[in-house]
PDB file of all heavy atoms in Angstrom:
ATOM      1  N   LEU A   1      -3.501  -2.910 -11.188  1.00 79.00           N
ATOM      2  CA  LEU A   1      -4.351  -3.168 -10.034  1.00 79.00           C
ATOM      3  C   LEU A   1      -3.511  -3.043  -8.769  1.00 79.00           C
ATOM      4  O   LEU A   1      -3.942  -2.421  -7.769  1.00 79.00           O
ATOM      5  CB  LEU A   1      -5.048  -4.480 -10.072  1.00 79.00           C
ATOM      6  CG  LEU A   1      -6.131  -4.569 -11.164  1.00 79.00           C
ATOM      7  CD1 LEU A   1      -6.650  -6.049 -11.264  1.00 79.00           C
ATOM      8  CD2 LEU A   1      -7.298  -3.674 -10.861  1.00 79.00           C
ATOM      9  N   ARG A   2      -2.348  -3.697  -8.719  1.00 84.00           N
ATOM     10  CA  ARG A   2      -1.513  -3.647  -7.548  1.00 84.00           C
ATOM     11  C   ARG A   2      -1.083  -2.205  -7.234  1.00 84.00           C
ATOM     12  O   ARG A   2      -1.128  -1.819  -6.055  1.00 84.00           O
ATOM     13  CB  ARG A   2      -0.294  -4.526  -7.741  1.00 84.00           C
ATOM     14  CG  ARG A   2       0.734  -4.439  -6.615  1.00 84.00           C
ATOM     15  CD  ARG A   2       1.858  -5.391  -6.835  1.00 84.00           C
ATOM     16  NE  ARG A   2       2.503  -5.296  -8.123  1.00 84.00           N
ATOM     17  CZ  ARG A   2       3.337  -4.295  -8.544  1.00 84.00           C
ATOM     18  NH1 ARG A   2       3.659  -3.307  -7.661  1.00 84.00           N
ATOM     19  NH2 ARG A   2       3.868  -4.278  -9.755  1.00 84.00           N
ATOM     20  N   GLN A   3      -0.725  -1.455  -8.190  1.00 86.00           N
ATOM     21  CA  GLN A   3      -0.273  -0.051  -7.957  1.00 86.00           C
ATOM     22  C   GLN A   3      -1.458   0.809  -7.456  1.00 86.00           C
ATOM     23  O   GLN A   3      -1.321   1.706  -6.556  1.00 86.00           O
ATOM     24  CB  GLN A   3       0.344   0.519  -9.203  1.00 86.00           C
ATOM     25  CG  GLN A   3       1.683  -0.047  -9.569  1.00 86.00           C
ATOM     26  CD  GLN A   3       2.257   0.487 -10.782  1.00 86.00           C
ATOM     27  OE1 GLN A   3       2.007   1.605 -11.208  1.00 86.00           O
ATOM     28  NE2 GLN A   3       3.030  -0.364 -11.552  1.00 86.00           N
ATOM     29  N   TRP A   4      -2.655   0.537  -7.953  1.00 83.00           N
ATOM     30  CA  TRP A   4      -3.822   1.279  -7.525  1.00 83.00           C
ATOM     31  C   TRP A   4      -4.116   0.939  -6.026  1.00 83.00           C
ATOM     32  O   TRP A   4      -4.394   1.846  -5.209  1.00 83.00           O
ATOM     33  CB  TRP A   4      -4.978   1.020  -8.389  1.00 83.00           C
ATOM     34  CG  TRP A   4      -6.262   1.661  -7.956  1.00 83.00           C
ATOM     35  CD1 TRP A   4      -7.395   1.130  -7.550  1.00 83.00           C
ATOM     36  CD2 TRP A   4      -6.471   3.114  -7.912  1.00 83.00           C
ATOM     37  NE1 TRP A   4      -8.346   2.111  -7.266  1.00 83.00           N
ATOM     38  CE2 TRP A   4      -7.750   3.303  -7.435  1.00 83.00           C
ATOM     39  CE3 TRP A   4      -5.617   4.217  -8.237  1.00 83.00           C
ATOM     40  CZ2 TRP A   4      -8.298   4.608  -7.243  1.00 83.00           C
ATOM     41  CZ3 TRP A   4      -6.186   5.441  -8.090  1.00 83.00           C
ATOM     42  CH2 TRP A   4      -7.474   5.634  -7.590  1.00 83.00           C
ATOM     43  N   VAL A   5      -4.103  -0.346  -5.687  1.00 85.00           N
ATOM     44  CA  VAL A   5      -4.342  -0.776  -4.299  1.00 85.00           C
ATOM     45  C   VAL A   5      -3.253  -0.184  -3.417  1.00 85.00           C
ATOM     46  O   VAL A   5      -3.485   0.268  -2.317  1.00 85.00           O
ATOM     47  CB  VAL A   5      -4.369  -2.352  -4.222  1.00 85.00           C
ATOM     48  CG1 VAL A   5      -4.391  -2.765  -2.750  1.00 85.00           C
ATOM     49  CG2 VAL A   5      -5.578  -2.884  -4.957  1.00 85.00           C
ATOM     50  N   MET A   6      -1.962  -0.201  -3.876  1.00 87.00           N
ATOM     51  CA  MET A   6      -0.907   0.352  -3.115  1.00 87.00           C
ATOM     52  C   MET A   6      -1.083   1.848  -2.789  1.00 87.00           C
ATOM     53  O   MET A   6      -0.870   2.275  -1.674  1.00 87.00           O
ATOM     54  CB  MET A   6       0.397   0.157  -3.906  1.00 87.00           C
ATOM     55  CG  MET A   6       1.648   0.613  -3.269  1.00 87.00           C
ATOM     56  SD  MET A   6       3.155   0.104  -4.071  1.00 87.00           S
ATOM     57  CE  MET A   6       2.920   1.087  -5.670  1.00 87.00           C
ATOM     58  N   LEU A   7      -1.617   2.570  -3.765  1.00 86.00           N
ATOM     59  CA  LEU A   7      -1.868   4.004  -3.518  1.00 86.00           C
ATOM     60  C   LEU A   7      -2.946   4.196  -2.465  1.00 86.00           C
ATOM     61  O   LEU A   7      -2.902   5.097  -1.628  1.00 86.00           O
ATOM     62  CB  LEU A   7      -2.341   4.716  -4.827  1.00 86.00           C
ATOM     63  CG  LEU A   7      -1.265   4.829  -5.880  1.00 86.00           C
ATOM     64  CD1 LEU A   7      -1.887   5.390  -7.193  1.00 86.00           C
ATOM     65  CD2 LEU A   7      -0.112   5.810  -5.402  1.00 86.00           C
ATOM     66  N   GLN A   8      -3.952   3.284  -2.412  1.00 83.00           N
ATOM     67  CA  GLN A   8      -4.959   3.370  -1.415  1.00 83.00           C
ATOM     68  C   GLN A   8      -4.458   3.049  -0.010  1.00 83.00           C
ATOM     69  O   GLN A   8      -5.091   3.420   1.015  1.00 83.00           O
ATOM     70  CB  GLN A   8      -6.154   2.422  -1.815  1.00 83.00           C
ATOM     71  CG  GLN A   8      -6.888   2.825  -3.062  1.00 83.00           C
ATOM     72  CD  GLN A   8      -7.928   1.833  -3.519  1.00 83.00           C
ATOM     73  OE1 GLN A   8      -7.644   0.621  -3.426  1.00 83.00           O
ATOM     74  NE2 GLN A   8      -9.063   2.312  -3.854  1.00 83.00           N
ATOM     75  N   LEU A   9      -3.387   2.247   0.098  1.00 87.00           N
ATOM     76  CA  LEU A   9      -2.851   1.864   1.365  1.00 87.00           C
ATOM     77  C   LEU A   9      -1.938   2.899   1.974  1.00 87.00           C
ATOM     78  O   LEU A   9      -1.499   2.775   3.156  1.00 87.00           O
ATOM     79  CB  LEU A   9      -2.038   0.536   1.223  1.00 87.00           C
ATOM     80  CG  LEU A   9      -2.856  -0.673   0.873  1.00 87.00           C
ATOM     81  CD1 LEU A   9      -1.933  -1.845   0.603  1.00 87.00           C
ATOM     82  CD2 LEU A   9      -3.804  -1.086   1.965  1.00 87.00           C
ATOM     83  N   ILE A  10      -1.594   3.961   1.247  1.00 88.00           N
ATOM     84  CA  ILE A  10      -0.674   4.979   1.712  1.00 88.00           C
ATOM     85  C   ILE A  10      -1.488   5.974   2.517  1.00 88.00           C
ATOM     86  O   ILE A  10      -2.474   6.564   2.003  1.00 88.00           O
ATOM     87  CB  ILE A  10       0.083   5.672   0.550  1.00 88.00           C
ATOM     88  CG1 ILE A  10       0.961   4.627  -0.159  1.00 88.00           C
ATOM     89  CG2 ILE A  10       0.921   6.784   1.035  1.00 88.00           C
ATOM     90  CD1 ILE A  10       1.548   5.148  -1.454  1.00 88.00           C
ATOM     91  N   PRO A  11      -1.113   6.267   3.789  1.00 85.00           N
ATOM     92  CA  PRO A  11      -1.913   7.160   4.577  1.00 85.00           C
ATOM     93  C   PRO A  11      -1.532   8.655   4.297  1.00 85.00           C
ATOM     94  O   PRO A  11      -0.543   8.911   3.671  1.00 85.00           O
ATOM     95  CB  PRO A  11      -1.460   6.834   6.045  1.00 85.00           C
ATOM     96  CG  PRO A  11      -0.101   6.332   5.875  1.00 85.00           C
ATOM     97  CD  PRO A  11      -0.064   5.640   4.536  1.00 85.00           C
ATOM     98  N   ARG A  12      -2.356   9.511   4.780  1.00 81.00           N
ATOM     99  CA  ARG A  12      -2.129  10.973   4.667  1.00 81.00           C
ATOM    100  C   ARG A  12      -1.227  11.407   5.806  1.00 81.00           C
ATOM    101  O   ARG A  12      -1.299  10.836   6.896  1.00 81.00           O
ATOM    102  CB  ARG A  12      -3.459  11.756   4.673  1.00 81.00           C
ATOM    103  CG  ARG A  12      -3.383  13.207   4.431  1.00 81.00           C
ATOM    104  CD  ARG A  12      -4.703  13.952   4.443  1.00 81.00           C
ATOM    105  NE  ARG A  12      -5.422  13.644   3.245  1.00 81.00           N
ATOM    106  CZ  ARG A  12      -6.597  13.044   3.280  1.00 81.00           C
ATOM    107  NH1 ARG A  12      -7.170  12.630   4.363  1.00 81.00           N
ATOM    108  NH2 ARG A  12      -7.269  12.817   2.144  1.00 81.00           N
ATOM    109  N   GLU A  13      -0.325  12.340   5.522  1.00 82.00           N
ATOM    110  CA  GLU A  13       0.560  12.846   6.642  1.00 82.00           C
ATOM    111  C   GLU A  13      -0.317  13.399   7.735  1.00 82.00           C
ATOM    112  O   GLU A  13      -1.447  13.906   7.556  1.00 82.00           O
ATOM    113  CB  GLU A  13       1.494  13.922   6.097  1.00 82.00           C
ATOM    114  CG  GLU A  13       0.834  15.188   5.561  1.00 82.00           C
ATOM    115  CD  GLU A  13       1.888  16.202   5.104  1.00 82.00           C
ATOM    116  OE1 GLU A  13       2.986  16.246   5.660  1.00 82.00           O
ATOM    117  OE2 GLU A  13       1.561  16.961   4.160  1.00 82.00           O
ATOM    118  N   PRO A  14       0.164  13.264   9.048  1.00 80.00           N
ATOM    119  CA  PRO A  14       1.509  12.862   9.466  1.00 80.00           C
ATOM    120  C   PRO A  14       1.818  11.411   9.419  1.00 80.00           C
ATOM    121  O   PRO A  14       2.845  10.994   9.896  1.00 80.00           O
ATOM    122  CB  PRO A  14       1.552  13.486  10.880  1.00 80.00           C
ATOM    123  CG  PRO A  14       0.228  13.362  11.335  1.00 80.00           C
ATOM    124  CD  PRO A  14      -0.688  13.612  10.173  1.00 80.00           C
ATOM    125  N   GLY A  15       0.829  10.576   9.028  1.00 83.00           N
ATOM    126  CA  GLY A  15       1.068   9.107   8.955  1.00 83.00           C
ATOM    127  C   GLY A  15       2.093   8.819   7.856  1.00 83.00           C
ATOM    128  O   GLY A  15       2.542   9.664   7.022  1.00 83.00           O
ATOM    129  N   GLY A  16       2.495   7.530   7.727  1.00 88.00           N
ATOM    130  CA  GLY A  16       3.409   7.142   6.746  1.00 88.00           C
ATOM    131  C   GLY A  16       3.603   5.625   6.724  1.00 88.00           C
ATOM    132  O   GLY A  16       3.217   4.926   7.721  1.00 88.00           O
ATOM    133  N   VAL A  17       4.059   5.074   5.607  1.00 91.00           N
ATOM    134  CA  VAL A  17       4.222   3.628   5.526  1.00 91.00           C
ATOM    135  C   VAL A  17       5.450   3.315   4.708  1.00 91.00           C
ATOM    136  O   VAL A  17       5.737   4.027   3.782  1.00 91.00           O
ATOM    137  CB  VAL A  17       2.933   2.984   4.856  1.00 91.00           C
ATOM    138  CG1 VAL A  17       2.739   3.467   3.436  1.00 91.00           C
ATOM    139  CG2 VAL A  17       3.007   1.454   4.868  1.00 91.00           C
ATOM    140  N   THR A  18       6.182   2.316   5.080  1.00 92.00           N
ATOM    141  CA  THR A  18       7.446   1.956   4.405  1.00 92.00           C
ATOM    142  C   THR A  18       7.101   1.016   3.223  1.00 92.00           C
ATOM    143  O   THR A  18       5.999   0.401   3.189  1.00 92.00           O
ATOM    144  CB  THR A  18       8.436   1.229   5.321  1.00 92.00           C
ATOM    145  OG1 THR A  18       7.859   0.014   5.724  1.00 92.00           O
ATOM    146  CG2 THR A  18       8.765   2.141   6.522  1.00 92.00           C
ATOM    147  N   ALA A  19       8.050   0.851   2.343  1.00 92.00           N
ATOM    148  CA  ALA A  19       7.910  -0.047   1.176  1.00 92.00           C
ATOM    149  C   ALA A  19       7.761  -1.450   1.700  1.00 92.00           C
ATOM    150  O   ALA A  19       6.973  -2.282   1.186  1.00 92.00           O
ATOM    151  CB  ALA A  19       9.069   0.017   0.251  1.00 92.00           C
ATOM    152  N   GLN A  20       8.461  -1.875   2.774  1.00 92.00           N
ATOM    153  CA  GLN A  20       8.347  -3.204   3.321  1.00 92.00           C
ATOM    154  C   GLN A  20       6.917  -3.424   3.916  1.00 92.00           C
ATOM    155  O   GLN A  20       6.368  -4.541   3.768  1.00 92.00           O
ATOM    156  CB  GLN A  20       9.438  -3.310   4.405  1.00 92.00           C
ATOM    157  CG  GLN A  20       9.455  -4.767   4.971  1.00 92.00           C
ATOM    158  CD  GLN A  20      10.667  -4.980   5.853  1.00 92.00           C
ATOM    159  OE1 GLN A  20      11.423  -4.041   6.168  1.00 92.00           O
ATOM    160  NE2 GLN A  20      10.899  -6.199   6.344  1.00 92.00           N
ATOM    161  N   GLN A  21       6.360  -2.379   4.586  1.00 92.00           N
ATOM    162  CA  GLN A  21       5.011  -2.576   5.128  1.00 92.00           C
ATOM    163  C   GLN A  21       3.987  -2.687   3.992  1.00 92.00           C
ATOM    164  O   GLN A  21       3.057  -3.485   4.098  1.00 92.00           O
ATOM    165  CB  GLN A  21       4.679  -1.372   6.012  1.00 92.00           C
ATOM    166  CG  GLN A  21       5.432  -1.384   7.317  1.00 92.00           C
ATOM    167  CD  GLN A  21       5.297  -0.079   8.107  1.00 92.00           C
ATOM    168  OE1 GLN A  21       5.138   1.008   7.507  1.00 92.00           O
ATOM    169  NE2 GLN A  21       5.428  -0.122   9.405  1.00 92.00           N
ATOM    170  N   LEU A  22       4.214  -1.900   2.907  1.00 92.00           N
ATOM    171  CA  LEU A  22       3.346  -2.070   1.747  1.00 92.00           C
ATOM    172  C   LEU A  22       3.408  -3.413   1.157  1.00 92.00           C
ATOM    173  O   LEU A  22       2.437  -4.002   0.708  1.00 92.00           O
ATOM    174  CB  LEU A  22       3.656  -0.953   0.718  1.00 92.00           C
ATOM    175  CG  LEU A  22       3.227   0.480   1.015  1.00 92.00           C
ATOM    176  CD1 LEU A  22       3.753   1.454  -0.003  1.00 92.00           C
ATOM    177  CD2 LEU A  22       1.671   0.564   1.039  1.00 92.00           C
ATOM    178  N   GLN A  23       4.624  -3.945   1.104  1.00 91.00           N
ATOM    179  CA  GLN A  23       4.852  -5.250   0.503  1.00 91.00           C
ATOM    180  C   GLN A  23       4.025  -6.327   1.304  1.00 91.00           C
ATOM    181  O   GLN A  23       3.313  -7.145   0.726  1.00 91.00           O
ATOM    182  CB  GLN A  23       6.327  -5.608   0.589  1.00 91.00           C
ATOM    183  CG  GLN A  23       6.643  -6.992   0.038  1.00 91.00           C
ATOM    184  CD  GLN A  23       8.146  -7.382   0.322  1.00 91.00           C
ATOM    185  OE1 GLN A  23       8.719  -6.940   1.302  1.00 91.00           O
ATOM    186  NE2 GLN A  23       8.662  -8.224  -0.553  1.00 91.00           N
ATOM    187  N   ALA A  24       4.058  -6.237   2.626  1.00 90.00           N
ATOM    188  CA  ALA A  24       3.326  -7.206   3.486  1.00 90.00           C
ATOM    189  C   ALA A  24       1.803  -7.000   3.358  1.00 90.00           C
ATOM    190  O   ALA A  24       1.059  -7.968   3.213  1.00 90.00           O
ATOM    191  CB  ALA A  24       3.710  -7.042   4.930  1.00 90.00           C
ATOM    192  N   LYS A  25       1.370  -5.680   3.257  1.00 88.00           N
ATOM    193  CA  LYS A  25      -0.111  -5.480   3.144  1.00 88.00           C
ATOM    194  C   LYS A  25      -0.619  -5.945   1.845  1.00 88.00           C
ATOM    195  O   LYS A  25      -1.667  -6.595   1.730  1.00 88.00           O
ATOM    196  CB  LYS A  25      -0.353  -3.976   3.285  1.00 88.00           C
ATOM    197  CG  LYS A  25      -0.169  -3.445   4.684  1.00 88.00           C
ATOM    198  CD  LYS A  25      -0.364  -1.933   4.746  1.00 88.00           C
ATOM    199  CE  LYS A  25      -0.179  -1.388   6.130  1.00 88.00           C
ATOM    200  NZ  LYS A  25      -1.264  -1.741   7.051  1.00 88.00           N
ATOM    201  N   LEU A  26       0.133  -5.747   0.703  1.00 89.00           N
ATOM    202  CA  LEU A  26      -0.276  -6.152  -0.623  1.00 89.00           C
ATOM    203  C   LEU A  26      -0.395  -7.663  -0.694  1.00 89.00           C
ATOM    204  O   LEU A  26      -1.323  -8.276  -1.242  1.00 89.00           O
ATOM    205  CB  LEU A  26       0.700  -5.618  -1.694  1.00 89.00           C
ATOM    206  CG  LEU A  26       0.606  -4.101  -2.002  1.00 89.00           C
ATOM    207  CD1 LEU A  26       1.820  -3.671  -2.821  1.00 89.00           C
ATOM    208  CD2 LEU A  26      -0.726  -3.799  -2.700  1.00 89.00           C
ATOM    209  N   ALA A  27       0.625  -8.405  -0.158  1.00 87.00           N
ATOM    210  CA  ALA A  27       0.619  -9.843  -0.188  1.00 87.00           C
ATOM    211  C   ALA A  27      -0.544 -10.388   0.621  1.00 87.00           C
ATOM    212  O   ALA A  27      -1.107 -11.442   0.263  1.00 87.00           O
ATOM    213  CB  ALA A  27       1.962 -10.351   0.380  1.00 87.00           C
ATOM    214  N   GLY A  28      -0.943  -9.694   1.648  1.00 86.00           N
ATOM    215  CA  GLY A  28      -2.111 -10.156   2.492  1.00 86.00           C
ATOM    216  C   GLY A  28      -3.431  -9.929   1.775  1.00 86.00           C
ATOM    217  O   GLY A  28      -4.408 -10.653   2.046  1.00 86.00           O
ATOM    218  N   ILE A  29      -3.486  -8.993   0.839  1.00 84.00           N
ATOM    219  CA  ILE A  29      -4.689  -8.729   0.137  1.00 84.00           C
ATOM    220  C   ILE A  29      -4.914  -9.740  -1.020  1.00 84.00           C
ATOM    221  O   ILE A  29      -6.059 -10.229  -1.223  1.00 84.00           O
ATOM    222  CB  ILE A  29      -4.719  -7.253  -0.432  1.00 84.00           C
ATOM    223  CG1 ILE A  29      -4.798  -6.243   0.717  1.00 84.00           C
ATOM    224  CG2 ILE A  29      -5.834  -7.001  -1.403  1.00 84.00           C
ATOM    225  CD1 ILE A  29      -4.611  -4.825   0.354  1.00 84.00           C
ATOM    226  N   ASP A  30      -3.815 -10.023  -1.752  1.00 81.00           N
ATOM    227  CA  ASP A  30      -3.946 -10.907  -2.922  1.00 81.00           C
ATOM    228  C   ASP A  30      -2.562 -11.510  -3.194  1.00 81.00           C
ATOM    229  O   ASP A  30      -1.601 -10.738  -3.357  1.00 81.00           O
ATOM    230  CB  ASP A  30      -4.402 -10.153  -4.163  1.00 81.00           C
ATOM    231  CG  ASP A  30      -4.849 -11.072  -5.307  1.00 81.00           C
ATOM    232  OD1 ASP A  30      -4.183 -12.068  -5.505  1.00 81.00           O
ATOM    233  OD2 ASP A  30      -5.852 -10.772  -5.968  1.00 81.00           O
ATOM    234  N   PRO A  31      -2.425 -12.828  -3.276  1.00 82.00           N
ATOM    235  CA  PRO A  31      -1.086 -13.418  -3.553  1.00 82.00           C
ATOM    236  C   PRO A  31      -0.513 -12.961  -4.839  1.00 82.00           C
ATOM    237  O   PRO A  31       0.782 -12.854  -5.020  1.00 82.00           O
ATOM    238  CB  PRO A  31      -1.430 -14.911  -3.664  1.00 82.00           C
ATOM    239  CG  PRO A  31      -2.695 -15.042  -2.870  1.00 82.00           C
ATOM    240  CD  PRO A  31      -3.481 -13.789  -3.045  1.00 82.00           C
TER     241      PRO A  31
END
């Protein structure tokens, strides 16, 4: 579930997101 949510949080180029930003977003969605 976490990996699926993580894939949904990744933007399409030219956007981008770092692993650290994904870490914060995931923790905010579900502990």
Side-chain angles (χ1 to χ4, degrees):
L1 290 172
R2 173 175 53 76
Q3 291 176 29
W4 179 244
V5 172
M6 183 170 64
L7 291 173
Q8 293 175 317
L9 294 173
I10 298 173
R12 186 179 286 118
E13 62 177 331
V17 63
T18 65
Q20 187 172 2
Q21 290 170 331
L22 284 173
Q23 180 189 29
K25 290 177 181 288
L26 287 167
I29 292 173
D30 192 322

